[in-house]
Amino acid sequence: MKPTAHSRILILDFGSQYTQVIARRVRECQVYSEIGRHDITAAEVEAMAPKGVILSGGPASVYEKSAPQIDLQIFSLGIPVLGICYGMQLMARHLGGEVEFSARREYGAGILHIDEETPLFHAVGEQMDIWSSHGDKLTALPTGFRAIAHTENSPFAVIEDAERRLYALQFHPEVSHTPRGKEIIQNFLFRICHCAMDWTMGSFIDEACARIRQQVGDEKVVLGLSGGVDSSVTAALLHRAIGDQLTCIFVNNGFLRENEPEIVQRVFGENFRIKLKYVDASERFLKLLEGVTDPEQKRKAIGLEFVRVFEQATEDLLAKDRADKRPHAGYRFLAQGTLYPDVIESVAIGGNPASLIKTHHNVGGLPEKMHFELVEPLRQLFKDEVRQAGLQLGLPNEIVLRQPFPGPGLAVRILGEVTPERLRILREADAIVVSEMQASDWYYRVWQSFAVLLPVHSVGVMGDQRTYENTIALRIVESQDGMTADWVRLPYEILARISSRIVNEVKGVNRVCYDISTKPPSTIEWE
Ligand code: XMP
């Protein structure tokens, strides 16, 4: 974590499921934020030179033996600190206050009454709706602090020591259930920390290009382009930075959605004129999955084969360069679309599911023996920022706003064996889902909407004929980050249209079901 010229806010993570939300809220105010572990030392904080520090909430009680701690010197650095929930209790407990242990957690909405003037509550009025989730509560002020606001249950819902610039809130300003929470965050950033609003996508792109040029020099870079948002934005950014030093490899594994190879070739090959090597390996992959029905075996086989195909493609590129007697024949760098949530060093406190990284989703996984150095220009960004960067780089909506799609593609949406015929059925059904969702504008309002082919035949009737054919399940979910999800209450008319089109237009399907399970306990994908 090297200091940059930006104003930055450091958020120390005590295991709250909202830590990343805090970071995003700060960035929405155009201030760069970074998440650090709670056990970072004061010297490390000082070296990073943040304009302010925010202590996140967390599931622990400050009285537990294993409660996550903080280097107390951080409170004496002269850098403003804002403690939220657990962060407040920690601050209070260590600075001479009293915290009352409570075995019961209180969740929910409340009203905050603001009793004193403070820059933290500048222009927010005398009371506001808030949302809290806490067990312990503050019963005596720490030395040098005063109470700023109270709630029905708590006389010390907001406290401050203006001289040392230490502030703390019992509630969560970062969540949407605290409607004016963003103003409190803005007040902290601009009235207390005096941050500059210098985190914009334009400035990010310029700086990222300069960094890429510095890292890569005049060497060549290879990138596995999947057509998903992350690898697409990585490609566009690298192309802006180093032009023809970048070559993208796009592998068609045979499990892509309808028209996907064409879209990627059109956007990147024709519009952007990026050097694009298209490898159609679909037959190889299909052969590989003959007789395979176990979901994990499918995923593994596809992952390993992808690596082999990718290796072969880079060797072919090299061979061609040598034949053409081009200088710099080697590809020293491999670019990847790694995002910030993948690199945050997570703390798993109290089994918080938000902190578990799902390794199988970090596509790439190329072996170390390939001896590439990595270029990961999106490492600092959240997904919504990647989308903004993509639009600024001139990528079309059909790429930037597309829904997530798993690396193993349609293969994990065909339950049971993957055959050319079953692929055809799913691909056609899926295209109908996509087109109806887009036509009704729901495509962009949900996290994912897709078809799944079940290994179930059932009886139907078509004309005077009895049929015995396949079943398609529709999976349409809303989610913030894919970690949890709920099924979308889609209007019946749209469900009706999708269902009727699928049974009428896709040969081999006579039944459509709607998946109404949440994640957890289900997952979004069926395999
Ligand atoms: P699950 O099924 O675990 O999916 O609830 C959560 C999110 O991750 C996507 N997903 C993948 N993405 N490679 C990916 O890049 C994969 O292998 C993969 N498997 C699942 C899924 O579509 C959903 O958005």
Side-chain angles (χ1 to χ4, degrees), residues 183-231:
E183 291 167 64
I184 301 174
I185 293 175
Q186 281 171 331
N187 284 336
F188 180 68
L189 300 179
F190 302 118
R191 293 185 179 272
I192 293 168
C193 302
H194 305 295
C195 291
M197 290 170 81
D198 52 11
W199 176 249
T200 61
M201 271 309 120
S203 71
F204 166 79
I205 290 171
D206 291 344
E207 287 164 27
C209 286
R211 267 198 304 269
I212 291 165
R213 281 186 214 112
Q214 196 185 19
Q215 181 187 4
V216 168
D218 56 5
E219 304 266 353
K220 291 201 289 202
V221 181
V222 70
L223 164 71
L225 182 62
S226 71
V229 180
D230 306 344
S231 68

Side-chain angles (χ1 to χ4, degrees), residues 70 77 83 92 141 174 177 204 215 224 264 306 375 394 406 413 421 427 435 444 459 466-467 487 526-527:
I70 183 170
L77 291 174
L141 284 170
E174 70 276 21
H177 310 296
F204 166 79
Q215 181 187 4
V264 171
F306 177 81
V375 185
R413 294 177 180 170
E421 174 61 3
R427 189 171 283 131
S435 83
Y444 299 104
V459 173
R466 173 189 185 275
T467 58
W487 57 282
W526 279 46
E527 287 199 336

Side-chain angles (χ1 to χ4, degrees), residues 235-425:
L237 186 57
L238 277 157
H239 187 249
R240 160 117 16 135
I242 56 170
D244 274 353
Q245 285 167 255
L246 170 72
T247 303
C248 294
I249 297 176
F250 175 61
V251 176
N252 181 350
N253 61 10
F255 311 131
L256 303 177
R257 287 162 290 189
E258 192 147 281
N259 292 331
E260 204 154 26
E262 292 77 18
I263 294 173
V264 171
Q265 291 182 82
R266 172 167 49 78
V267 169
F268 292 95
E270 292 167 29
N271 299 4
F272 270 83
R273 303 203 162 279
I274 287 181
K275 277 206 240 166
L276 181 65
K277 184 176 171 60
Y278 172 65
V279 185
D280 184 355
S282 43
E283 299 214 349
R284 239 172 109 161
F285 277 89
L286 252 177
K287 200 150 185 46
L288 190 79
L289 289 196
E290 266 173 27
V292 180
T293 56
D294 178 71
E296 279 308 299
Q297 242 182 324
K298 263 188 209 169
R299 280 181 173 274
K300 232 185 234 143
I302 295 171
L304 287 174
E305 190 68 2
F306 177 81
V307 171
R308 278 187 221 115
V309 172
F310 195 84
E311 268 178 328
Q312 184 61 49
T314 50
E315 274 164 28
D316 291 351
L317 283 178
L318 267 178
K320 186 164 180 312
D321 277 0
R322 285 201 196 96
D324 293 350
K325 298 209 167 40
R326 296 226 187 99
H328 306 298
Y331 285 82
R332 194 171 137 197
F333 294 95
L334 174 74
Q336 281 187 339
T338 314
L339 304 195
Y340 193 44
D342 300 328
V343 299
I344 296 169
E345 246 192 287
S346 49
V347 280
I349 294 162
N352 165 23
S355 63
L356 302 175
I357 294 182
K358 300 191 292 178
T359 44
H360 74 283
H361 293 172
N362 297 335
V363 261
L366 292 166
E368 280 181 13
K369 76 174 168 61
M370 292 183 80
H371 301 304
F372 281 122
E373 285 174 44
L374 290 182
V375 185
E376 298 178 305
L378 308 182
R379 273 179 79 91
Q380 289 174 299
L381 301 191
F382 287 108
K383 192 85 176 185
D384 45 342
E385 295 175 315
V386 172
R387 293 207 159 100
Q388 283 173 38
L391 291 173
Q392 285 224 0
L393 287 161
L395 284 171
N397 280 356
E398 66 181 330
I399 295 276
V400 173
L401 302 181
R402 60 179 19 196
Q403 298 173 353
F405 186 63
L410 299 181
V412 291
R413 294 177 180 170
I414 294 178
L415 277 64
E417 193 182 351
V418 180
T419 64
E421 174 61 3
R422 301 192 77 212
L423 256 174
R424 176 201 58 84
I425 291 176

Side-chain angles (χ1 to χ4, degrees), residues 353-354 475 478-479 481-487 516-524:
R475 186 69 165 140
E478 54 190 21
S479 171
D481 50 14
M483 298 288 196
T484 60
D486 196 3
W487 57 282
I516 53 168
S517 14
T518 56
K519 171 181 180 176
S522 299
T523 50
I524 295 176

